[in-house]
Amino acid sequence: MVRPGSLAARFQSLDAYAKTLDDFSVKTLSGGILTIVASIAIALLVGHEFLAYRRVDMVAELVVDGERMEKMHINLDVTFPRAPCMLLGLDVMDSSGEQQVNLFQHVAKTRLSKDGSVIGLDQAGKPTVAVVPAGKDGKPYCGSCYGGVAPEGGCCNSCDDVHQAYKRRGWAFTDPDSIEQCVREGYVKHMQEQAGEGCRMHGFIEVNKVTGNAQILAGESIKHGSEYMHTYYDYMPHDYDFSHTIHRLSFGDEFSAQTNPLDGVSKKAHSVRAQFQYFTKIVGSEIRYLNGTVLRSNQYSATEFVKGDVTASRRTPGFFVMFDISPMRVIYTEHKRSLPSFLTSVCAIVGGIFTVARLVDGFVFRTERALQRKRESGKLA
């Protein structure tokens, strides 16, 4: 018992939660039912709030892209069931004037049979084991480069060495049968053996983040002076087209919620001169995670156009991806509710439901008492 006039008595006078003695409280059936209903409602709503507290949402924001001089990876995985690997070249041109040719440093070409089974990785026309003849008078063999720009060692000991020497000179590799190294290695025969095969190209290429296009064509590109020429040789297989299936095509690093509209697209060429063009609009994306990690990537939209006129003999058949860069960037920031916000919601739920339940219980109790008094006085039959 608190002594009157003491400090504890003063605090007791501030009690806003006056208690009712048990002798004066009445428990009813309706009150018990309301208690059960209120408890279930509280459990459900608190559970929902807890799930919302644990959930991480992405909040998007659109800003002007202020980045400059960026590089971008084009990730590709495309199958050409009717184009042999030795036939295909991969080039990139952009609006800055830069042109990159034969970009196979990070792109692998896998040979496929007619039924789609894997034969093996393409070796770019080089035999598995280069056969180098012995030189004269016991000296090491040094093959001629046939007028091409010789490599650092000064010798072209393989067909590919001569081929590269021709490229450095800006010459077309039109007649490998007249080159000793190519005849010895069976260069043309090896290329003809791939007729009817398919090819799967997978990997990535690095480009400037400016408007440009990546193209996969039959033949090869040669730099002649300051210009590039694309050429196709008579000894290459002629029975091919650019029917294809895009397994993956994306720009930059990928994140979990990303969707690539061209993934899974499959097209069949109705003529050998068919040209497939995909026009993409790239929007820079930045994902900021709760742990402070920042991932920069790109999303894109795409439209397509197919030129399939059989009579267009001057058209170069191929697979083209044109990319245009948007001046905007989308920033996604991970957002999670704070603990004080969660506790505030829980208190509001518990207090609100018990308050409403008490009001309903009081109304039901008074109604029952009123009906009971009328029944006892005979006013209610």
Side-chain angles (χ1 to χ4, degrees):
M1 181 67 88
V2 178
R3 186 165 53 86
S6 65
L7 180 63
R10 294 179 181 179
F11 279 109
Q12 182 177 357
S13 65
L14 299 176
D15 185 6
Y17 308 101
K19 284 73 176 177
T20 303
L21 296 177
D22 292 339
D23 295 339
F24 297 98
S25 61
V26 178
K27 294 185 178 181
T28 62
L29 176 62
S30 60
I33 294 174
L34 278 172
T35 302
I36 294 174
V37 173
S39 300
I40 294 174
I42 289 173
L44 291 175
L45 292 177
V46 169
H48 180 270
E49 284 296 314
F50 180 74
L51 292 177
Y53 166 69
R54 297 287 299 171
R55 186 176 65 243
V56 177
D57 298 318
M58 282 285 189
V59 179
E61 178 186 7
L62 188 64
V63 299
V64 175
D65 192 350
E67 298 295 332
R68 294 292 182 269
M69 304 298 292
E70 278 190 300
K71 293 288 187 179
M72 177 176 66
H73 282 182
I74 301 179
N75 308 299
L76 57 90
D77 186 354
V78 187
T79 294
F80 300 94
R82 287 182 45 79
C85 287
M86 287 189 69
L87 193 65
L88 300 179
L90 174 59
D91 305 332
V92 171
M93 295 180 293
D94 62 45
S95 59
S96 69
E98 182 176 349
Q99 182 166 353
Q100 305 177 68
V101 299
N102 300 317
L103 296 176
F104 293 108
Q105 295 87 346
H106 304 289
V107 177
K109 294 191 290 186
T110 303
R111 295 171 58 190
L112 305 175
S113 64
K114 291 183 178 180
D115 61 2
S117 58
V118 175
I119 298 175
L121 288 177
D122 179 62
Q123 299 298 319
K126 295 181 289 185
T128 305
V129 179
V131 180
V132 179
K136 296 180 180 180
D137 302 325
K139 296 180 180 179
Y141 172 77
C142 182
S144 171
C145 293
Y146 294 87
V149 178
E152 185 176 346
C155 300
C156 293
N157 293 337
S158 68
C159 184
D160 187 64
D161 289 342
V162 180
H163 193 177
Q164 296 303 321
Y166 270 49
K167 284 184 178 180
R168 288 190 289 269
R169 181 69 71 184
W171 292 352
F173 201 57
T174 56
D175 190 15
D177 281 337
S178 65
I179 297 172
E180 174 198 355
Q181 294 90 325
C182 297
V183 173
R184 183 177 67 241
E185 296 175 7
Y187 177 83
V188 175
K189 180 182 177 182
H190 183 61
M191 181 169 286
Q192 293 294 338
E193 286 175 352
Q194 291 197 20
E197 292 183 2
C199 186
R200 182 169 183 171
M201 301 176 63
H202 50 94
F204 71 89
I205 54 179
E206 186 176 75
V207 300
N208 298 317
K209 195 173 180 181
V210 295
T211 301
N213 73 83
Q215 53 192 26
I216 299 175
L217 304 173
E220 68 174 357
S221 296
I222 302 170
K223 185 176 183 180
H224 188 73
S226 60
E227 297 182 353
Y228 285 88
M229 300 183 302
H230 189 82
T231 182
Y232 180 85
Y233 304 123
D234 291 336
Y235 56 81
M236 291 180 168
H238 294 274
D239 184 19
Y240 73 92
D241 62 48
F242 278 89
S243 300
H244 61 272
T245 298
I246 302 174
H247 305 289
R248 182 171 67 109
L249 181 64
S250 62
F251 300 86
D253 297 330
E254 297 187 34
F255 54 94
S256 57
Q258 181 174 342
T259 58
N260 302 314
L262 292 180
D263 286 3
V265 171
S266 184
K267 297 294 180 181
K268 181 176 177 58
H270 297 290
S271 73
V272 295
R273 311 301 301 178
Q275 187 182 90
F276 297 91
Q277 298 178 343
Y278 294 96
F279 298 87
T280 61
K281 187 73 171 181
I282 300 173
V283 179
S285 303
E286 186 174 306
I287 300 89
R288 299 175 179 175
Y289 296 99
L290 288 173
N291 60 6
T293 304
V294 177
L295 173 65
R296 290 189 174 181
S297 182
N298 301 281
Q299 300 179 84
Y300 69 95
S301 59
T303 56
E304 61 185 63
F305 184 69
V306 180
K307 296 179 180 179
D309 189 357
V310 180
T311 62
S313 59
R314 302 186 67 178
R315 179 187 301 132
T316 302
F319 174 90
F320 296 81
V321 177
M322 286 72 168
F323 47 92
D324 188 20
I325 310 299
S326 170
M328 308 303 291
R329 179 182 291 268
V330 181
I331 298 178
Y332 297 95
T333 305
E334 280 192 339
H335 176 74
K336 183 180 178 182
R337 288 181 60 183
S338 64
L339 181 60
S341 174
F342 168 68
L343 295 178
T344 300
S345 297
V346 170
C347 292
I349 290 171
V350 174
I353 289 180
F354 270 123
T355 299
V356 172
R358 182 177 293 276
L359 291 175
V360 173
D361 180 58
F363 173 76
V364 172
F365 179 71
R366 287 192 296 272
T367 302
E368 288 178 346
R369 290 291 300 274
L371 293 175
Q372 184 178 1
R373 283 195 297 271
K374 288 183 177 182
R375 190 179 295 110
E376 291 174 352
S377 62
K379 293 182 180 180
L380 186 66

